[in-house]
Amino acid sequence: MTDDGASWMVEITGCKAPSGTEIPINSSLIDGNYEWKCMKNNNGQIVMQKALHANATCGDHQRDEQWREGSFLYECGAGGRQKLVACFAEGDEQINIGESKEINGYIVKCEKYENGTVVMHGIRKGTENGTEFHVECIDSKGEHHAADSWWIDDERFNKTCLPNGKIDVVNCISKDGIEIPLNKEIISGDTKYTCERTEDGGIRFASGPIDEVTSK
């Protein structure tokens, strides 16, 4: 209210993005990877919302750009979503997800499972009559593993090649060589170790004091 008794009102005309740019009411602004919206809701309140816009980047990679990491090919999809689109087999032969190729006597497949895990696995013809097939797994480093064999990966995980060609984790291994079965806890001295499969199909290995476990 003013000195002469007249009333006054403050009117909001827009929002301000973190960069300092003003956004008029009921409009939006793309700033970096985000789209900022300044909206008036049904109650007359002014709210500002943010969301990744369709052409957001995936780190240093632009929308629709593809790049290789190890034995896998990734693509930057809409909204900055990184997705795996292909595997690289021996000789840098590219195999798209869901497809297979015959390479040096092996039928190699790049397969994605329901939990999101992507693996390469292959089968080769037997040497006796040419009609018998032997299943082998091909890991992310391009190394071949016979069915029912096992190996240590990254000094942390004991992996095995299943008869269907899928690679699975048997247990986790601590720095001291303690084996922790999958989805189990082990206490050794004052330390508790946990090896578990997460909802997205990954493996989480953690260790720490008995009353507090931290990821490793």
Side-chain angles (χ1 to χ4, degrees), residues 3 14 26 32 48 63 73 82-83 91 110 126 129-130 140 165 175 183 203 212:
D3 293 338
N26 295 328
M48 188 164 68
R63 168 79 184 272
L73 181 69
Q82 175 178 311
K83 57 182 180 180
C110 179
N129 53 28
S140 59
K175 293 180 180 179
N183 296 323
I203 302 298
E212 182 181 356

Side-chain angles (χ1 to χ4, degrees), residues 23 25 29 59 62 64 66 87 94 96 107 130 156 170 180:
I23 310 170
I25 293 177
L29 168 75
Q62 301 296 318
D64 297 329
Q66 294 185 340
C87 306
Q94 181 176 324
N96 295 331
I107 299 175
R156 280 291 180 271
V170 178
I180 303 93

Side-chain angles (χ1 to χ4, degrees), residues 50-65:
K50 78 168 184 176
L52 285 166
H53 65 81
N55 292 321
T57 61
C58 301
D60 296 330
H61 304 283
Q62 301 296 318
R63 168 79 184 272
D64 297 329
E65 181 182 351

Side-chain angles (χ1 to χ4, degrees), residues 8 27-28 38-39 53 57 69 82 101 104 118 120-121 128 141 176 189 195 203 205:
W8 53 272
S27 63
S28 62
C38 182
M39 309 296 293
H53 65 81
T57 61
E69 292 183 12
Q82 175 178 311
K101 287 185 179 181
N104 296 330
V118 177
M120 270 193 304
H121 56 87
E128 294 183 0
K141 300 175 184 176
D176 300 327
C195 179
I203 302 298
F205 174 51

Side-chain angles (χ1 to χ4, degrees), residues 19 29-36 51-53 55-57:
S19 62
L29 168 75
I30 292 179
D31 187 7
N33 275 345
Y34 293 96
E35 180 179 9
W36 298 85
L52 285 166
H53 65 81
N55 292 321
T57 61

